Amino acid sequence: MSTTTTPPVTIADGDIPTEEKRRPRRRRAIRGSRPGWFVYGVLAIVLGGSLFPFYWSFLIGSGDASTIRDPNMSWLPGGNFIDNALAVVNDPAVNFWLALWNSIYSSALIALSVVFFSTLAGWAFAKLRFRGANGLLVFVIATMAVPMQLGVVPLYILFADLGWTGQIGAIIVPALVTAFGVFWMTQYLRQSVPDELIEAARVDGATSFRTFWTIGLPAARPAAAMLGLFTFVTAWNNFFWPFIVLDRQNPTLPVALSLLQSNYFVDYSIVLAGVLLATIPLLILFVFVGKQLVSGIMAGAVKG
């Protein structure tokens, strides 16, 4: 009995089914769905517009008193920035190092306090059931519509009676908690923590505060990081209330830098050099915290 061998079948390119022909095209389409030159162009414009104020400040801060009034001003930085920065640091009227410490101390304490109390209040509004919760939350949110300028006079009278004018505590105590922080943490905790997890903790015998400490606080970490960072920046840049309640002997950094413009002649090269010195700590903060902040936000998004 003879055996026959079947030769291997080869399929020409023209005989490939239509569906298999389309598969590489689909892959190429997916690989080609990257941002094009238009998207990168728009991002470059936005980045340039964001960096231009810093470059302008450095350009003026590296010149002299006549740089800003020179119609033929060069767009290349000069060589006087270090001298102008030293003039700011060594100015006895500015008291730079004390002002820097006051800004770091008050901003950090305000940020930590706002994060803790806002998370605690947000946990109560989001996960605890008590009478009048919705009305009280609406009242807290409504306080954001009241401008701070309306409360400056009675607040100043209060701290004057307490003997706190000129003290750094006068700018810390009114900012220990914010209505926006409470609203922000309430909305986040409502969506990120399931009620079943809280019920399980209660069954295990955990108290309300222990449930908040072991479940609510770790779950709120991404939102708390964002709230803390932006609260720190807001407190760092706050000028209105510290300018009213503090004095020249115990200022924050924005108040101290305003003293550079209190003379008859304002040297804007020194002023803008001081502004850049006040911005450097914020840039350092974003460099070290930005990566952890984004990773925390992405982790919270994946868990959600």
Side-chain angles (χ1 to χ4, degrees):
M1 186 174 179
S2 61
T3 58
T4 58
T5 58
T6 304
V9 179
T10 58
I11 301 176
D13 293 340
D15 298 332
I16 298 177
T18 308
E19 295 181 357
E20 295 185 3
K21 285 183 179 180
R22 292 177 180 174
R23 289 178 185 173
R25 294 180 182 177
R26 290 179 182 176
R27 293 175 183 172
R28 284 195 296 269
I30 294 174
R31 292 175 183 173
S33 61
R34 298 176 180 176
W37 61 269
F38 178 76
V39 175
Y40 286 111
V42 173
L43 292 177
I45 294 174
V46 173
L47 179 62
S50 302
L51 294 179
F52 179 76
F54 294 98
Y55 181 76
W56 175 262
S57 300
F58 181 72
L59 184 66
I60 303 300
S62 61
D64 51 23
S66 62
T67 301
I68 196 172
R69 301 180 180 87
D70 187 3
N72 299 321
M73 180 184 64
S74 174
W75 286 92
L76 296 177
N80 298 329
F81 180 78
I82 296 179
D83 295 336
N84 294 334
L86 290 177
V88 175
V89 172
N90 297 326
D91 192 340
V94 174
N95 206 349
F96 180 83
W97 296 114
L98 177 62
L100 178 63
W101 166 248
N102 286 338
S103 292
I104 295 175
Y105 170 74
S106 61
S107 300
L109 192 58
I110 289 172
L112 292 175
S113 174
V114 167
V115 167
F116 178 74
F117 288 115
S118 297
T119 307
L120 190 61
W123 176 262
F125 283 122
K127 295 302 174 181
L128 301 183
R129 302 292 181 263
F130 58 93
R131 184 175 299 177
N134 294 331
L136 185 58
L137 180 61
V138 171
F139 174 77
V140 172
I141 297 173
T143 59
M144 291 191 295
V146 180
M148 180 184 177
Q149 289 78 1
L150 293 179
V152 166
V153 174
L155 196 61
Y156 183 84
I157 294 175
L158 174 63
F159 284 111
D161 294 338
L162 295 175
W164 284 18
T165 54
Q167 303 297 322
I168 201 69
I171 66 173
I172 296 177
V173 173
L176 289 178
V177 64
T178 61
F180 173 76
V182 174
F183 172 73
W184 173 267
M185 299 308 301
T186 300
Q187 294 300 111
Y188 184 83
L189 289 171
R190 277 179 178 174
Q191 301 175 2
S192 62
V193 180
D195 295 335
E196 293 79 8
L197 192 60
I198 300 175
E199 294 297 332
R202 290 175 179 173
V203 171
D204 291 340
T207 61
S208 297
F209 186 79
R210 182 173 179 82
T211 304
F212 161 76
W213 190 261
T214 57
I215 297 176
L217 204 57
R221 207 170 282 171
M226 283 198 66
L227 179 62
L229 180 61
F230 288 111
T231 302
F232 184 92
V233 174
T234 302
W236 182 276
N237 295 326
N238 189 18
F239 173 76
F240 180 70
W241 174 242
F243 181 76
I244 294 175
V245 76
L246 298 180
D247 51 28
R248 295 188 176 186
Q249 284 70 34
N250 195 28
T252 57
L253 204 53
V255 177
L257 294 179
S258 68
L259 300 177
L260 295 172
Q261 306 182 57
S262 60
N263 300 323
Y264 290 104
F265 174 74
V266 179
D267 189 348
Y268 285 100
S269 62
I270 295 180
V271 172
L272 291 178
V275 170
L276 283 178
L277 289 179
T279 309
I280 290 175
L282 294 181
L283 296 178
I284 296 175
L285 177 66
F286 272 96
V287 167
F288 284 97
V289 181
K291 186 176 181 180
Q292 288 77 9
L293 179 64
V294 174
S295 61
I297 295 172
M298 295 303 296
V302 171
K303 291 179 182 178

